[in-house]
Structures are given as structure tokens and as C-alpha cells.
Amino acid sequence: MSPRITTDQWLAAAKYRRSVYDLKDTSPVPDSRIEEIVTEVLSFTPSAWNSQHIRITIVLGEKHRQLWDVLTKEAEPVLRGIDESLWSLMGPRFKNFMGAYGSILFWNCEKSISQAKVDHKSGAHIIPQWADHAAGMCQILIWTALELEGFGANLPHMNAIAHLEDAIRKFAGAPDEYTLNATMTFGEKTQPHPEKVPDKLPYNQTLTMIK
């Protein structure tokens, strides 16, 4: 099967992706298109030994706002308890998350990961790390595709805050065997798409060529 895009086109699409936080509660495409993008990415995202441990929940519209209302109420006392200035910093960010059009919840199915450990004992010790690799590939593919459709998106890791994973699992009705890997919020952008790539280290510090 010949590719329908060139390597340079694919790299340009990947380079276009940015973390965008100022989002609107509107969508440039029908909800069916969002579902189509996610299901298409799930259909080809690789995983070690094809263990297929990734699970996804899409939350849109009013349900998205309800989700972030729950998370804001859970996160505020935790972050204020750490440092009042931390909530002063993060409170507006939570409002931005709530003001978006939707969220995508990325889960790891621990049952699938455990089965992969049983089936492939020689690599059992590193399978959880490989599972995270697969989750990251899935996230970057969906993120890039959504931004090409006209969305802005970001990837806040809400499971880093105590109790939020349990709150998300309860809201989504996800089983106990699912562990939250990441959350993504997306919506139409309030400002032009960021053009500048964040500064990176020089290649002589990050790339070695051996031949």
C-alpha cells in the first residue's frame, strides 16, 4: 500500500501540534468526526505484542463541563493545602479546562497489561513501561489530528493530583482495572494557532550519529 502523504507532509503535521490552553466550548466539526478520529487512531496504534491495553473515554458538551466542575472541587482544597499561591496559579487553568468543548480520558487496562506479563514472561518486568510508550503514541496521534481539524488541545495530567483519578473514574463509570494515563482537553481556539516551536537544545547535545 503506497502512502497518500509524503514524509515531509507527515512531519509538518506533527510539528504543527502545540499545547493550547485558551479554548472555546465550540467545535469546528461534528461530534461524529471526533469519534471517527479516535477510533481510527485506536485501529493502528502499536502496542507491545499487540496487547492493546489502551482504553479511551470521550466526554463532550455539558458532560465535559460537569466533569471539570467535579475536578475543580476536588483539586482546589488539595492545591490550596499545598500552597495558596499554587491554586492562584492553577485555578484559572481549571477554568480554561472547563471552558473547552471536550475531554479525552486515556486509560491503561491493567488486566490487559497483566495478561501480557503472563504471556511474555521474558519481558514482564518492562511491559508497564512499554504500555506507557503505546499510550504516548496514541495521545500524540489524536492530539495532532484534532489540531489539524481546527481544534486547540492540551494534555493536563490530572492523575498527578491526589484523589482526582478516583473522581474521574467514578464520573466516567470506568472499571477499577483502568488506570488513568492522561487527560486531554480540546476546543476551538480563542487566538491564532501558536506558530513558534518552543526552544530546543542544539542537536549536538541531543543527537549522536554512528556510522
Side-chain angles (χ1 to χ4, degrees):
M1 182 175 66
S2 300
R4 289 178 290 178
I5 62 170
T6 67
T7 302
D8 286 344
Q9 287 172 330
W10 189 88
L11 290 172
K15 188 176 181 179
Y16 182 75
R17 183 214 55 81
R18 293 286 184 276
S19 292
V20 181
Y21 293 99
D22 293 326
L23 303 172
K24 298 188 287 188
D25 62 351
T26 55
S27 170
V29 298
D31 293 348
S32 59
R33 177 58 176 161
I34 299 168
E35 182 179 8
E36 181 183 14
I37 289 169
V38 172
T39 54
E40 179 68 10
V41 170
L42 282 170
S43 76
F44 64 79
T45 298
S47 55
W49 292 294
N50 200 31
S51 57
Q52 301 180 66
H53 66 279
I54 299 167
R55 304 291 185 267
I56 289 178
T57 305
I58 303 173
V59 187
L60 301 176
E62 182 59 30
K63 288 295 185 181
H64 162 84
R65 288 184 284 278
Q66 291 174 13
L67 170 64
W68 283 96
D69 182 60
V70 169
L71 296 185
T72 300
K73 290 175 180 176
E74 289 282 342
E76 182 174 359
V78 175
L79 297 179
R80 284 188 185 276
I82 296 171
D83 192 315
E84 190 68 31
S85 64
L86 184 56
W87 181 248
S88 297
L89 175 67
M90 291 300 297
R93 185 63 58 86
F94 272 78
K95 288 183 179 179
N96 285 345
F97 296 150
M98 186 184 296
Y101 182 72
S103 295
I104 299 177
L105 312 176
F106 295 89
W107 310 90
N108 285 340
C109 177
E110 296 300 330
K111 183 177 180 180
S112 297
I113 293 172
S114 295
Q115 187 61 51
K117 290 180 180 180
V118 172
D119 295 340
H120 307 282
K121 292 183 174 61
S122 63
H125 64 291
I126 203 168
I127 283 174
Q129 179 177 326
W130 290 342
D132 283 339
H133 296 171
M137 287 187 277
C138 183
Q139 290 155 26
I140 201 72
L141 289 166
I142 291 174
W143 193 346
T144 300
L146 288 177
E147 295 210 350
L148 290 174
E149 287 289 322
F151 289 106
N154 56 76
L155 196 74
H157 292 273
M158 289 294 104
N159 50 341
I161 302 175
H163 310 305
L164 260 61
E165 180 172 344
D166 290 340
I168 294 170
R169 183 183 292 106
K170 181 179 179 180
F171 182 92
D176 290 342
E177 68 196 46
Y178 286 15
T179 56
L180 188 67
N181 188 277
T183 55
M184 181 180 294
T185 61
F186 62 95
E188 289 193 277
K189 299 179 284 272
T190 63
Q191 298 176 357
H193 189 79
E195 294 294 334
K196 186 178 183 299
V197 176
D199 292 337
K200 304 296 182 182
L201 292 170
Y203 298 128
N204 62 8
Q205 295 183 32
T206 59
L207 173 66
T208 300
M209 187 79 148
I210 301 175
K211 62 179 182 177

